[in-house]
Amino acid sequence: MRPVIGQTLQVDISDLAAVSVPLMVIGFASIPGGAPLSGFGAAGPSCNLLIAPDLVVSLPSGGSSTSYLQPIPTNPAFLGAELYFHGAQLDLIDFSVTERGRALIGQ
């Protein structure tokens, strides 16, 4: 389902560790080829950030899945806007991100 103005965009994350801090990384641009997160000391060697991290939001935890909800204003200026997402989790021993997601706002 394509996100549209005046409605709420929902992005779900699943397969979370039992003890973790789930995060949503939101960006307005994609990073071709990605940027390795291994330089931060916590991420695995194959973990790449594929979007510009313009905003990072902590999500509710307490299970193996969670959701990020973003109301999209009823404003035609948002038509055609692209948002990129990474679900992420920080657990006791690792930091990991999902594949890149993309939302194109329509009407």
Side-chain angles (χ1 to χ4, degrees), residues 4-87:
V4 297
I5 59 174
Q7 295 187 0
T8 300
L9 170 67
Q10 178 173 334
V11 181
D12 300 320
I13 305 172
S14 59
D15 296 327
L16 295 169
V19 179
S20 68
V21 177
L23 305 166
M24 182 61 65
V25 182
I26 304 160
F28 296 103
S30 180
I31 300 174
L37 290 173
S38 58
F40 293 100
S46 63
C47 194
N48 288 328
L49 187 65
L50 301 172
I51 66 171
D54 295 312
L55 179 66
V56 178
V57 178
S58 176
L59 300 175
S61 62
S64 62
S65 64
T66 190
S67 297
Y68 171 74
L69 300 172
Q70 177 61 56
I72 302 169
T74 305
N75 184 330
F78 289 97
L79 287 174
E82 288 182 297
L83 294 173
Y84 296 90
F85 300 92
H86 270 306

